[in-house]
PDB file of all heavy atoms in Angstrom:
ATOM      1  N   ASP A 160      -7.325  28.625  -6.290  1.00  0.00           N
ATOM      2  CA  ASP A 160      -7.833  29.471  -5.241  1.00  0.00           C
ATOM      3  C   ASP A 160      -8.783  28.732  -4.296  1.00  0.00           C
ATOM      4  O   ASP A 160      -8.858  28.887  -3.133  1.00  0.00           O
ATOM      5  CB  ASP A 160      -8.548  30.606  -5.865  1.00  0.00           C
ATOM      6  CG  ASP A 160      -8.325  31.937  -5.124  1.00  0.00           C
ATOM      7  OD1 ASP A 160      -7.094  32.148  -4.886  1.00  0.00           O
ATOM      8  OD2 ASP A 160      -9.264  32.695  -4.797  1.00  0.00           O
ATOM      9  N   ARG A 161      -9.611  27.797  -4.894  1.00  0.00           N
ATOM     10  CA  ARG A 161     -10.637  27.153  -4.099  1.00  0.00           C
ATOM     11  C   ARG A 161     -10.221  25.785  -3.557  1.00  0.00           C
ATOM     12  O   ARG A 161     -10.599  25.365  -2.477  1.00  0.00           O
ATOM     13  CB  ARG A 161     -11.927  26.953  -4.962  1.00  0.00           C
ATOM     14  CG  ARG A 161     -12.567  28.248  -5.378  1.00  0.00           C
ATOM     15  CD  ARG A 161     -13.983  28.344  -4.902  1.00  0.00           C
ATOM     16  NE  ARG A 161     -14.843  27.382  -5.497  1.00  0.00           N
ATOM     17  CZ  ARG A 161     -15.578  27.574  -6.619  1.00  0.00           C
ATOM     18  NH1 ARG A 161     -15.511  28.790  -7.237  1.00  0.00           N
ATOM     19  NH2 ARG A 161     -16.357  26.708  -7.164  1.00  0.00           N
ATOM     20  N   LEU A 162      -9.278  25.108  -4.291  1.00  0.00           N
ATOM     21  CA  LEU A 162      -8.908  23.715  -3.853  1.00  0.00           C
ATOM     22  C   LEU A 162      -7.506  23.619  -3.439  1.00  0.00           C
ATOM     23  O   LEU A 162      -7.159  23.115  -2.332  1.00  0.00           O
ATOM     24  CB  LEU A 162      -9.208  22.742  -4.970  1.00  0.00           C
ATOM     25  CG  LEU A 162     -10.624  22.192  -5.146  1.00  0.00           C
ATOM     26  CD1 LEU A 162     -10.616  21.036  -6.142  1.00  0.00           C
ATOM     27  CD2 LEU A 162     -11.159  21.672  -3.818  1.00  0.00           C
ATOM     28  N   HIS A 163      -6.579  24.024  -4.294  1.00  0.00           N
ATOM     29  CA  HIS A 163      -5.148  23.694  -4.125  1.00  0.00           C
ATOM     30  C   HIS A 163      -4.472  24.534  -3.021  1.00  0.00           C
ATOM     31  O   HIS A 163      -4.017  23.988  -2.042  1.00  0.00           O
ATOM     32  CB  HIS A 163      -4.425  23.829  -5.445  1.00  0.00           C
ATOM     33  CG  HIS A 163      -3.004  23.422  -5.371  1.00  0.00           C
ATOM     34  ND1 HIS A 163      -2.607  22.065  -5.404  1.00  0.00           N
ATOM     35  CD2 HIS A 163      -1.860  24.134  -5.281  1.00  0.00           C
ATOM     36  CE1 HIS A 163      -1.240  21.996  -5.299  1.00  0.00           C
ATOM     37  NE2 HIS A 163      -0.805  23.268  -5.232  1.00  0.00           N
ATOM     38  N   HIS A 164      -4.529  25.842  -3.179  1.00  0.00           N
ATOM     39  CA  HIS A 164      -3.869  26.721  -2.205  1.00  0.00           C
ATOM     40  C   HIS A 164      -4.407  26.592  -0.796  1.00  0.00           C
ATOM     41  O   HIS A 164      -3.597  26.530   0.180  1.00  0.00           O
ATOM     42  CB  HIS A 164      -3.956  28.158  -2.612  1.00  0.00           C
ATOM     43  CG  HIS A 164      -3.119  28.498  -3.845  1.00  0.00           C
ATOM     44  ND1 HIS A 164      -3.393  29.559  -4.666  1.00  0.00           N
ATOM     45  CD2 HIS A 164      -2.134  27.810  -4.422  1.00  0.00           C
ATOM     46  CE1 HIS A 164      -2.502  29.467  -5.633  1.00  0.00           C
ATOM     47  NE2 HIS A 164      -1.787  28.457  -5.594  1.00  0.00           N
ATOM     48  N   PRO A 165      -5.731  26.538  -0.591  1.00  0.00           N
ATOM     49  CA  PRO A 165      -6.218  26.375   0.820  1.00  0.00           C
ATOM     50  C   PRO A 165      -5.702  25.149   1.446  1.00  0.00           C
ATOM     51  O   PRO A 165      -5.398  25.183   2.634  1.00  0.00           O
ATOM     52  CB  PRO A 165      -7.747  26.320   0.633  1.00  0.00           C
ATOM     53  CG  PRO A 165      -8.002  26.997  -0.672  1.00  0.00           C
ATOM     54  CD  PRO A 165      -6.849  26.693  -1.553  1.00  0.00           C
ATOM     55  N   LYS A 166      -5.543  24.047   0.725  1.00  0.00           N
ATOM     56  CA  LYS A 166      -5.033  22.832   1.355  1.00  0.00           C
ATOM     57  C   LYS A 166      -3.595  22.940   1.660  1.00  0.00           C
ATOM     58  O   LYS A 166      -3.099  22.408   2.715  1.00  0.00           O
ATOM     59  CB  LYS A 166      -5.391  21.630   0.515  1.00  0.00           C
ATOM     60  CG  LYS A 166      -6.812  21.429   0.602  1.00  0.00           C
ATOM     61  CD  LYS A 166      -7.406  20.104   0.015  1.00  0.00           C
ATOM     62  CE  LYS A 166      -8.886  20.124   0.387  1.00  0.00           C
ATOM     63  NZ  LYS A 166      -9.696  19.201  -0.400  1.00  0.00           N
ATOM     64  N   GLU A 167      -2.822  23.653   0.848  1.00  0.00           N
ATOM     65  CA  GLU A 167      -1.405  23.865   1.171  1.00  0.00           C
ATOM     66  C   GLU A 167      -1.319  24.801   2.457  1.00  0.00           C
ATOM     67  O   GLU A 167      -0.653  24.463   3.400  1.00  0.00           O
ATOM     68  CB  GLU A 167      -0.705  24.632   0.081  1.00  0.00           C
ATOM     69  CG  GLU A 167      -0.523  23.723  -1.162  1.00  0.00           C
ATOM     70  CD  GLU A 167       0.206  24.473  -2.357  1.00  0.00           C
ATOM     71  OE1 GLU A 167       0.042  25.637  -2.508  1.00  0.00           O
ATOM     72  OE2 GLU A 167       0.777  23.702  -3.193  1.00  0.00           O
ATOM     73  N   ASP A 168      -2.103  25.855   2.401  1.00  0.00           N
ATOM     74  CA  ASP A 168      -2.095  26.803   3.596  1.00  0.00           C
ATOM     75  C   ASP A 168      -2.465  26.110   4.871  1.00  0.00           C
ATOM     76  O   ASP A 168      -1.824  26.187   5.912  1.00  0.00           O
ATOM     77  CB  ASP A 168      -2.970  28.003   3.340  1.00  0.00           C
ATOM     78  CG  ASP A 168      -2.476  28.913   2.205  1.00  0.00           C
ATOM     79  OD1 ASP A 168      -1.274  28.951   2.010  1.00  0.00           O
ATOM     80  OD2 ASP A 168      -3.306  29.603   1.582  1.00  0.00           O
ATOM     81  N   ASP A 169      -3.624  25.391   4.758  1.00  0.00           N
ATOM     82  CA  ASP A 169      -4.249  24.881   6.093  1.00  0.00           C
ATOM     83  C   ASP A 169      -3.556  23.586   6.555  1.00  0.00           C
ATOM     84  O   ASP A 169      -3.598  23.292   7.731  1.00  0.00           O
ATOM     85  CB  ASP A 169      -5.689  24.558   5.791  1.00  0.00           C
ATOM     86  CG  ASP A 169      -6.554  25.792   5.442  1.00  0.00           C
ATOM     87  OD1 ASP A 169      -6.021  26.912   5.630  1.00  0.00           O
ATOM     88  OD2 ASP A 169      -7.667  25.648   5.037  1.00  0.00           O
TER      89      ASP A 169
END
Side-chain angles (χ1 to χ4, degrees):
D160 221 48
R161 296 239 294 267
L162 277 187
H163 183 79
H164 293 159
K166 289 191 174 163
E167 290 177 334
D168 291 333
D169 296 347

